């Protein structure tokens, strides 16, 4: 499972998503995404969808995904399989 800190490290623009959802990076950063979603009263897929919406901001100007932008979908796909 991917932690909040790892997602922010891979794609720093996702910090905005966590802030909008009132997820405290300092306190919850080492927690897995599904655990954080549960604590905040949402389904894991809801959190993943919000993060995937920000994935575009991790892309290079040439519209080719950076190495970091490619890491999030892989992790979220694994998370979806585990959650469903």
């Amino acid at each position: 499972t991917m932690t909040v800190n790892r997602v922010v490290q891979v794609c720093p623009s996702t910090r905005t998503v966590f802030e909008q959802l009132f997820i405290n990076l300092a306190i919850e950063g080492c927690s897995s995404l599904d655990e954080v979603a549960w604590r905040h009263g949402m389904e894991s897929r809801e959190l993943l969808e919000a993060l995937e919406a920000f994935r575009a901001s991790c892309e290079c100007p040439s519209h080719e995904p950076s190495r970091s932008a490619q890491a999030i979908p892989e992790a979220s796909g694994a998370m979806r399989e585990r959650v469903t």
Side-chain angles (χ1 to χ4, degrees):
T1 60
M2 188 170 272
T3 66
V4 172
N5 284 339
R6 180 67 180 143
V7 171
V8 173
Q9 180 184 25
V10 168
C11 188
S13 66
T14 58
R15 178 181 296 272
T16 303
V17 175
F18 293 117
E19 290 171 354
Q20 290 173 347
L21 296 172
F22 302 103
I23 296 171
N24 187 320
L25 297 175
I27 294 172
E28 300 177 278
C30 293
S31 299
S32 67
L33 294 177
D34 59 342
E35 184 178 340
V36 169
W38 176 79
R39 271 194 235 134
H40 288 268
M42 66 178 87
E43 295 289 324
S44 296
R45 71 173 160 69
E46 293 174 293
L47 177 57
L48 293 172
E49 287 169 0
L51 292 168
E52 287 172 350
F54 259 73
R55 180 179 58 179
S57 65
C58 289
E59 292 183 3
C60 301
S62 65
H63 301 293
E64 293 180 23
S66 64
R67 190 183 77 140
S68 61
Q70 293 173 353
I72 291 175
E74 293 170 10
S76 64
M79 178 72 78
R80 263 199 202 108
E81 290 174 14
R82 196 178 119 212
V83 172
T84 55

